[in-house]
Amino acid sequence: FGLFLVVSTLLSILTFSARVRNFRSMIRQKLKVVQSARLAVLGEMTSNIAHEIHNPLTAIQLNASFLVKAVNSDLIDRDLIRTRAEKMSQVIDRISAIINGLRIVTRKDARAPTTSVDLRKIVTDSLELLRERIESAEVAIIVEVPNFAVLVQCREFRILQVAINLLGNALDAVKNLPTRWIRVELLVGEKAELRITDSGSGIPSEIRHQIFQPFFTTKPSGQGIGLGLSISSEIMLEHGGTL
């Protein structure tokens, strides 16, 4: 009877040890998937930002070439030169805004302390970062926000990531439609609510229960990895909110 107890105890310990090893292995695999997902999302966002900056740089180059030719010619139109210089200044300001937004988005520490942030700034920054896509797709943007600050405690770069993802999904949903609009609203009640709606057909009822699952996507192969909504949902949960 004593030997049976010893053998039984050893088997229990071995079984428990195996379960611990399996659990650790599962955690490591999950961490690898999460890290790969973050890198993929960051890579996709970086590609979009590079595209956003390319066109403004081209505009600066064209205006600079015009100014050089104007200065080298005998016919100098001061008003025209002033107009071109002002356009260059505006484009440089736009690039600065894009870079500042990118700095916010690419911060890595998800455990950074929260700060008081005006959600209206989140709306402005996210639309600025996606302006090139919005203009190229000729999508009408309707912004409805209060005329007072909507302050929330959050990690700004994380909430901006959610807003960019939702706006990007809305752009994908309407870009090929005859009527293209996106409405961005800030509603204030017991909690602040950021609501993004578009002129698309909506999410089919048969797949609504799947949209927050990692790697689930309705986009064609190569156009999405199906992690945006699942990551965004986790971000909102860590802030005590919901998506």
Side-chain angles (χ1 to χ4, degrees), residues 6 8 18 38 51 68 70 82-84 86-87 91 96 101 111 119 129 149 155 163 165 174 177 183 203 214 241 243:
V6 171
S8 178
R38 288 177 176 170
H51 178 72
V68 170
R82 183 183 298 107
T83 300
R84 291 295 183 112
E86 288 173 350
K87 286 183 178 179
V91 172
S96 296
R111 295 172 295 178
L119 279 181
L129 286 168
R155 297 174 182 86
N165 180 67
V174 305
L177 300 179
R183 177 179 287 108
I203 302 169
L243 177 60

Side-chain angles (χ1 to χ4, degrees), residues 46-62 91 94-95 98-99 129 132:
T46 302
S47 177
N48 290 335
I49 296 300
H51 178 72
E52 293 281 342
I53 292 178
H54 179 266
N55 286 350
L57 287 176
T58 301
I60 292 175
Q61 186 177 34
L62 291 174
V91 172
R94 164 149 170 69
I95 292 176
I98 291 173
I99 292 173
L129 286 168
E132 189 66 33

Side-chain angles (χ1 to χ4, degrees), residues 10-231:
L10 287 174
L11 288 175
S12 298
I13 292 173
L14 290 173
T15 301
F16 177 75
S17 298
R19 288 177 178 175
V20 169
R21 286 195 299 271
N22 290 337
F23 178 74
R24 288 176 176 173
S25 176
M26 183 177 65
I27 292 297
R28 283 195 294 268
Q29 288 298 113
K30 185 176 181 180
L31 289 174
K32 287 181 181 179
V33 170
V34 170
Q35 182 64 15
S36 297
R38 288 177 176 170
L39 290 174
V41 170
L42 181 58
E44 183 178 348
M45 189 174 295
T46 302
S47 177
N48 290 335
I49 296 300
H51 178 72
E52 293 281 342
I53 292 178
H54 179 266
N55 286 350
L57 287 176
T58 301
I60 292 175
Q61 186 177 34
L62 291 174
N63 281 297
S65 298
F66 171 84
L67 292 177
V68 170
K69 291 178 181 178
V71 170
N72 291 334
S73 68
D74 294 331
L75 300 174
I76 297 179
D77 186 331
R78 293 182 180 275
D79 290 336
L80 186 56
I81 289 177
R82 183 183 298 107
T83 300
R84 291 295 183 112
E86 288 173 350
K87 286 183 178 179
M88 289 176 66
S89 179
Q90 292 170 1
V91 172
I92 291 171
D93 288 342
R94 164 149 170 69
I95 292 176
S96 296
I98 291 173
I99 292 173
N100 288 334
L102 183 60
R103 284 173 178 168
I104 294 172
V105 172
T106 54
R107 290 178 190 168
K108 295 180 180 180
D109 189 2
R111 295 172 295 178
T114 61
T115 58
S116 181
V117 178
D118 187 350
L119 279 181
R120 297 179 305 172
K121 183 177 183 296
I122 298 289
V123 171
T124 300
D125 289 349
S126 58
L127 290 173
E128 184 66 32
L129 286 168
L130 293 170
R131 189 202 294 186
E132 189 66 33
R133 284 183 62 188
I134 292 169
E135 292 179 351
S136 63
E138 298 181 340
V139 176
I141 302 295
I142 306 156
V143 179
E144 298 177 0
V145 299
N147 57 4
F148 53 85
V150 182
L151 298 175
V152 295
Q153 284 292 127
C154 68
R155 297 174 182 86
E156 181 179 357
F157 62 100
R158 300 282 275 171
I159 301 302
L160 182 58
Q161 184 178 350
V162 175
I164 289 173
N165 180 67
L166 296 179
L167 284 169
N169 284 352
L171 283 168
D172 289 337
V174 305
K175 63 183 179 181
N176 296 321
L177 300 179
T179 301
R180 298 180 294 278
W181 56 260
I182 297 173
R183 177 179 287 108
V184 184
E185 300 171 90
L186 266 183
L187 307 176
V188 182
E190 292 183 2
K191 288 190 175 184
E193 179 181 346
L194 174 60
R195 181 180 296 177
I196 298 174
T197 54
D198 59 63
S199 56
S201 58
I203 302 169
S205 57
E206 62 269 19
I207 65 168
R208 287 179 188 173
H209 65 287
Q210 297 177 275
I211 62 173
F212 292 113
Q213 295 176 6
F215 303 107
F216 176 80
T217 180
T218 59
K219 296 178 182 178
S221 178
Q223 295 186 23
I225 56 177
L227 287 168
L229 287 179
S230 62
I231 291 175

